[in-house]
Amino acid sequence: MPRYFDGDFLPPKGRFAICVARFNGFITEELAKGAVDTLVRHGVADADIDVYRCPGTYELPGLVRRVTETRQYVGVVTLGAVIRGGTPHFDYVAGECAKGIGAVAFEAAAATPATTVTFGVLTTDTVEQAIDRAGVKAGNKGAEATLACIEMVNLYAKMSATDGRKA
Ligand code: INI
């Protein structure tokens, strides 16, 4: 009989951080609302949720690194919105952000205790596509990134209970 390891959506133990970029705030604040609402509806107390804001998504990797290094959080949800304009700026900002958050997430998963970092940064061609993903036609990507965070936090907790590693 194989052993299966899956995360679930039961109330997770520990503190969560939401790191949100203020650029395109009319979108990112909706993502942040979705993230907070998802945590609260999954049993996380208000007192266990900290929200950090930075100017733009380019600043997110540095902020997330600083936040994960506190070792205070089991989960960090990153939120931003990069919307394509007529210049290559989009590619630089979106690329650096994804690469940087990916690198922090990879290290934070290996740290003891582990911190899960998930990616709720929109990269869209148009404002309308961003609106659709911030609670309109295509769901709320802040809520989705938060669900992924809860699932991974609970998976790592289960794994720790089996392999003896400190969560
Ligand atoms: N920041 C964003 O979060 N989204 C964008 O669409 C964006 N664009 O297109 O310029 C953006 N730029 C700002 C950037 O993230 C930095 O805050 C800025 O370059 C200062 O370092």
Side-chain angles (χ1 to χ4, degrees):
M1 176 75 172
R3 293 194 300 173
Y4 293 96
F5 293 90
D6 290 291
D8 55 37
F9 298 97
L10 295 172
K13 287 197 181 71
R15 299 176 58 72
F16 285 79
I18 297 167
C19 294
V20 52
R22 274 188 278 104
F23 202 101
N24 293 321
F26 70 109
I27 299 291
T28 62
E29 286 304 315
E30 294 306 310
L31 300 177
K33 278 186 212 160
V36 169
D37 180 62
T38 301
L39 287 173
V40 170
R41 285 195 295 120
H42 285 79
V44 180
D46 276 348
D48 288 329
I49 304 170
D50 292 333
V51 179
Y52 295 86
R53 290 196 174 85
C54 64
T57 52
Y58 187 82
E59 283 73 38
L60 274 176
L63 173 63
V64 177
R65 183 165 187 200
R66 175 79 174 72
V67 165
T68 56
E69 278 182 358
T70 66
R71 301 273 170 266
Q72 279 188 72
Y73 302 102
V74 290
V76 179
V77 180
T78 64
L79 304 173
V82 197
I83 301 173
R84 193 181 285 281
T87 71
H89 198 67
F90 171 97
D91 300 293
Y92 294 123
V93 172
E96 287 308 310
C97 169
K99 216 173 11 162
I101 291 175
V104 176
F106 192 59
E107 290 307 319
T112 307
T115 301
T116 293
V117 177
T118 58
F119 191 72
V121 177
L122 301 179
T123 53
T124 64
D125 286 331
T126 66
V127 170
E128 191 187 14
Q129 287 172 347
I131 292 170
D132 285 347
R133 288 158 180 75
V136 186
K137 281 190 258 176
N140 182 311
K141 298 296 169 193
E144 283 178 28
T146 306
L147 281 177
C149 197
I150 292 170
E151 182 174 341
M152 291 306 291
V153 164
N154 285 342
L155 172 59
Y156 290 153
K158 252 185 213 174
M159 289 169 68
S160 292
T162 307
D163 64 22
R165 214 189 85 162
K166 193 164 178 280

